[in-house]
Amino acid sequence: MNAAKAILKQGKSVLLICDIQEKLMKAIFESNKVTQNSTKLINALKILDVPMIVTEQNPNSLGKTIPEFDISGAKGPFEKTSFSMCTHEVIKELSTICSGQKPNAIILIGIEMHVCIENTAIDLKNDGYEVHIVADCCSSRTQQDRLLALERMRGIGCHIATSENVIFKMLGDAKHKDFKSILNLIKTPSLEIGLNGKL
């Protein structure tokens, strides 16, 4: 894999938040840890002015995006029934979301890993995006489905990251003007959710 494509930069990266909804999260493996790690990532990327897009799968049945997330200023939430975030509305937003241009890189978090996350990753890769799957901010109802989906997504060229890995890539330098603000968020390590050295 080309190392240059693993870079994340402000102004060229977007966060996609996939279906992290109240009723669905009740059934998700390590949901509390996913929530805490995702909240940390979202808050850091808001400080860095990274644009965000949110979807909700059939919200009438599965509820709204969990209240722990500050998604003010995000595009959406866009309702969907497809098992990919790449709906007409989301594709339209992506086309101009970075100061009128498409992003180079997509940071992807959400549930379920083996359904909507994986299908979204496939669609995004086919559209030419570099896709960063944030492993500690994604899950499924079972750990088995989660881990196998990560392996498959790595196999199609996705970058498998963690929340802190993404934050530090976006910062790039301790001299970044927002480093001190974000330092308060990263003083507490992100919570581990059972990768167990398998990836």
Side-chain angles (χ1 to χ4, degrees):
M1 189 179 294
N2 187 339
K5 293 181 178 180
I7 295 171
L8 288 168
K9 289 188 175 180
Q10 281 181 280
K12 295 185 178 181
S13 305
V14 172
L15 175 66
L16 267 57
I17 303 170
C18 182
D19 307 348
I20 305 184
Q21 295 160 247
E22 295 166 311
K23 293 182 181 178
L24 189 52
M25 281 297 277
K26 293 176 182 178
I28 295 299
F29 175 78
E30 299 282 32
S31 62
N32 289 337
K33 293 179 180 179
V34 169
T35 297
Q36 289 185 57
N37 293 339
S38 298
T39 300
K40 173 181 178 176
L41 178 64
I42 290 167
N43 290 343
L45 295 187
K46 282 182 75 70
I47 292 170
L48 294 169
D49 293 319
V50 174
M52 303 180 188
I53 299 175
V54 184
T55 61
E56 293 173 346
Q57 180 76 15
N58 192 12
N60 289 334
S61 295
L62 299 175
K64 303 297 288 180
T65 300
I66 61 174
E68 288 87 346
F69 292 176
D70 178 4
I71 56 171
S72 58
K75 302 294 184 179
F78 296 107
E79 294 185 18
K80 67 182 184 64
T81 57
S82 68
F83 298 131
S84 169
M85 288 185 77
C86 295
T87 62
H88 172 75
E89 293 90 348
V90 171
I91 294 300
K92 183 178 179 181
E93 291 293 345
L94 282 175
S95 68
T96 59
I97 199 165
C98 290
S99 300
Q101 298 183 340
K102 294 170 66 172
N104 293 336
I106 305 292
I107 303 160
L108 183 55
I109 68 172
I111 55 179
E112 286 192 70
M113 181 83 84
H114 66 298
V115 186
C116 293
I117 294 294
E118 184 172 346
N119 283 314
T120 300
I122 291 168
D123 286 345
L124 291 169
K125 289 294 293 181
N126 283 335
D127 284 344
Y129 292 104
E130 290 301 317
V131 180
H132 297 252
I133 306 296
V134 189
D136 60 344
C137 297
C138 297
S139 194
S140 293
R141 284 165 293 162
T142 70
Q143 175 73 323
Q144 174 175 272
D145 274 326
R146 177 173 173 267
L147 293 176
L148 290 173
L150 278 170
E151 289 180 11
R152 290 191 296 269
M153 287 186 284
R154 173 185 269 178
I156 64 169
C158 294
H159 306 280
I160 308 301
T162 61
S163 50
E164 285 205 5
N165 172 247
V166 168
I167 292 167
F168 279 102
K169 278 184 177 177
M170 292 297 304
L171 284 167
D173 195 307
K175 293 180 181 178
H176 191 289
K177 66 181 181 64
D178 294 315
F179 179 70
K180 288 185 178 179
S181 298
I182 289 176
L183 189 59
N184 291 325
L185 295 174
I186 58 179
K187 282 181 179 178
T188 302
S190 297
L191 300 172
E192 295 187 17
I193 56 172
L195 290 175
N196 297 324
K198 293 183 180 180
L199 294 172

